[in-house]
Amino acid sequence: MSSIFFWRKKREEEKQASGSKVSDQTTANAELTAATLPIRSSKKGIRSLFAISKFDPDDLQTLEEILLQADFGLSASEKIVAAVKTEAKLQGASTESDLRKILAQVIESQLSSDKRELNLSSGKLPYVFLVVGVNGAGKTTTIGKLANWLGEGSWSVVLGAADTFRAAAVNQLATWAERAGAKLVGPKSDGQDPASVAFEAVETAISEDSDIVIIDTAGRLQNKSDLMDELSKIRRVIEKRAEISEVLLVIDATTGQNGLSQAKAFAEVAQVTGIVLTKLDGTAKGGIAFAIQSELGIPIKLVGVGEGINDFAFFDAKEFASGLVA
Amino acid sequence: MFGNLSDRLAETFKSLRGKGRLSPADIDATLREIRKALLEADVALEVVKSFIQAIRDRALGDEVSGALNPAQQVVQIVNQELIQILGAEPRKLRYGKTAPTVIMLAGLQGSGKTTLAGKLAKWLVSEGESVLLVAADLQRPNAVEQLRVLGEKISVEVFAPEAGSGTGDPVKVAKDSIAHAKSRGLSMVIVDTAGRLGVDQEMMAQAAKIRDAIKPDETLFVIDSMLGQDAVNVAKAFEDGVGITAVVLSKLDGDSKGGAALSVASVTGKPIIFSSTGESLDAFEPFYPDRMASRILDMGDVLTLIEQAQKAFDEDSAQEMALKLAKETFTLEDFLDQMQQLRKMGSLKSMLAMMPGAGQMRQQLDNIDEKEIDRTEAIIRSMTPVERQNPKVLNGSRRTRIARGSGMSVTDVNSLVNRFEQAAKMMKTVAKGGTPQIPGMPAGVGGVVPRKKAKDKKKAGSKSGNPAKRAAELNAKELGIKPASGGAGSAFGIGN
């Protein structure tokens, strides 16, 4: 899989250049055209679980410890080790390399999800992405990268700067918008209600016939109920004008078990549809994302692997699993 | 998912009830729960391992304290060790010998350096310092702008000669800022640097260069309190790469346990000196090791209880009491003494509410009338010393006088005296090593004095081998804990 296929709106010039390109695609909407975008590999960011510590094939307790050190958490680690044990018994596997293979299979199968891809195929444009998360998780950077990638596929992208709280967050997003060639809709005055900024961004996207609008929100800790209420308000207000196709929760790969609490709270308030696992280029393994998916069923969709505009990738369970055991 | 440690330990304590000194197996059971809790709190595995080992060694070797049951003792040891690693006393910010004092901030991306720079500056200004903020994060788009806005909000000058967002030399900016601060006669310089990964050698080398250029008096390592197992790797990388002098914990207003604090303190041996606790620029405070210890293990309640029990339960007076019991000279005065000891522990209800697993008892707790203790006290205080020493002299007229003096009825006085006598008798029996027979009480329900019988979680297990001492322990505990059941709680045998 080297590219991903989506629908986007036809540009004016494409409309004039006859619909032949579209005819082979089954779509009811002649306004749409197929867009393909290069998929990016997340291999760069995945480090082996066994880079520092090895496990003893005769004592799978050691494997559990390695998983714990990768932030999988007690519950998920125990579950994985139990599954590996069962499978090893079935297959009569006992060597380290066999066990590693089994481990990879277990992780991959538990991460499998049919909701992995970004929801860019409904044809109901503009697609609205809402990006949420705690402070410092990497929301703005993620949006910059995503906008740039979409721009590569000739999408017209609007970014809504609804983080009106953090000093200069709007400027930070503006810089990314410029780099990615996206249009920025920001607050007209300092401290403008974030929900109204989000609304205006969606309005702009509709009136300008854009394909997608990505709303940046202020970082908020999940136990701050007033800020979480604000988030549900943003959601409600957007939905007055358009369907929300993705709510992406950005989780820092270095996050520990609090990630579960984050995912639970954000899922409840904002109806999260996918996880973006950022900062995987560090030493952190991001096991918490596994715990989140296995406990809450929210799929990991994207990963961030650096500060560069191209440093992001689509999450691939197989790639992730085999990278972890490499 | 797992419930808090207090509840889990309560489970463990149950199995320990009625035992004497902790056996290694008991210690292991308690430590298993503590290990789980530490891992759930994101303390790094290697730190958990060495920590648990240290606790086991101490728990096996430690003196048995009369005031605590053995499981509580393990908890106390855990707490002491936690605090020791986190730093017993909050360390103060280190100032330079000559102005300006230079503080460098370092950390991962998104750990909260820039926000912290603003908070720290505001706090320093309130301490009477003149501060220069230096925008040396030229990496993240608009980090410079963010710092400039923060500086404006708190009226602190920001040194930002470069626009940043990927351009400019942070080493030069940092270096120039010192000269600038000197020329302006400012007393503090806070250098904000770009977030960097421990594995990014180029960026770590740059951080080292900045450090060499400004020779900071403090290099503060800012960590996100939500950080997981990677905390050890990150801390080691920054310690090796930049050489940190102290740690600042950010986003502590979240609901993470903050086990990373323990990992980092343990791995680097560097003190945590500040914590950042909210979105407002005032949400900044010195780091309190004891609070953090409680937060990590979520056993603050148990600890408060232990502390109070220990304070109130004086070993010496326990010995004395034991002697008295053995010699059958337990008097109303002693009764009063014990009550006053109990008072030191604070409100009975709040004491009980603090006990692990007390949730189920809450309803019964509401039935306890603390006024009863007041009334009992009033009655005893209305007695003469002779009467207190020897209740046998209490004839009708004395009782009437006492009733009047205490504002109670003669029936109340009679009731107290009766219950006291029963108590004294029973304690004597216990002191001699026998099993007390409690008249007119349904099994397992504390009616008169023998509240030690059931529902008393706190007493679990701690029985001295010395009969006299044991009686004293029981006695003290019994006074501390009201029966959970048994209808309207009557305190100290008055006014059922």
Side-chain angles (χ1 to χ4, degrees), chain B residues 247-314:
Chain B
V247 180
V248 179
L249 208 51
S250 71
K251 305 177 206 172
L252 207 52
D253 49 327
D255 60 3
S256 68
K257 301 265 188 219
L262 192 69
S263 304
V264 171
S266 171
V267 166
T268 64
K270 296 295 190 289
I272 302 166
I273 63 174
F274 293 116
S275 57
S276 177
T277 55
E279 304 252 5
S280 115
L281 284 170
D282 295 313
F284 174 82
E285 57 184 40
F287 176 78
Y288 299 103
D290 49 341
R291 288 188 202 168
M292 196 64 218
S294 300
R295 177 173 178 141
I296 290 174
L297 274 186
D298 195 7
M299 56 183 193
D301 300 353
V302 188
L303 285 170
T304 317
L305 188 70
I306 288 174
E307 208 174 273
Q308 293 184 343
Q310 266 197 329
K311 238 184 247 162
F313 188 89
D314 186 292

Side-chain angles (χ1 to χ4, degrees), chain A residues 47 52 61 64-66 68-71 73-75 78 134-137 141 165-169 171-176 179 219-224 227 252 254-262 264 279 281-285 295 307, chain B residues 1-2 8 35-37 39-42 45-46 49 108-111 115 139-142 145-147 149-150 153 165-166 195-200 203 224 226-231 233-234 251-257 277-280:
Chain A
R47 277 156 201 277
I52 304 168
Q61 185 62 35
E64 185 182 315
E65 292 193 345
I66 288 173
L68 282 173
Q69 283 174 297
D71 289 316
L74 270 173
S75 155
E78 281 169 5
V134 298
N135 314 61
T141 307
F165 184 83
R166 181 162 58 96
N171 310 44
Q172 188 182 345
L173 192 67
T175 305
W176 281 112
R179 287 180 189 174
R220 63 202 76 222
L221 297 175
Q222 71 275 16
N223 59 339
K224 303 279 170 73
L227 293 177
D252 183 333
T254 60
T255 309
Q257 298 311 299
N258 191 249
L260 262 178
S261 156
Q262 291 172 24
K264 273 180 200 159
K279 307 182 201 173
D281 48 329
T283 38
K285 312 283 192 310
E295 187 142 324
E307 288 183 291
Chain B
M1 195 157 67
F2 281 97
R8 274 190 277 167
R35 173 182 180 272
K36 273 191 202 167
L39 287 170
E40 287 289 307
D42 290 322
L45 184 69
E46 60 173 272
K49 279 184 167 178
L108 293 174
Q109 288 93 342
S111 57
T115 305
Q139 201 73 23
R140 179 164 57 93
N142 291 86
E145 182 61 22
Q146 186 184 351
L147 196 66
V149 173
L150 286 173
K153 271 189 193 164
S165 301
R196 62 202 77 223
L197 293 165
V199 284
D200 190 334
M203 286 295 282
D224 186 326
M226 294 178 277
L227 201 55
Q229 294 284 325
D230 202 39
N233 302 325
V234 176
K251 305 177 206 172
L252 207 52
D253 49 327
D255 60 3
S256 68
K257 301 265 188 219
T277 55
E279 304 252 5
S280 115

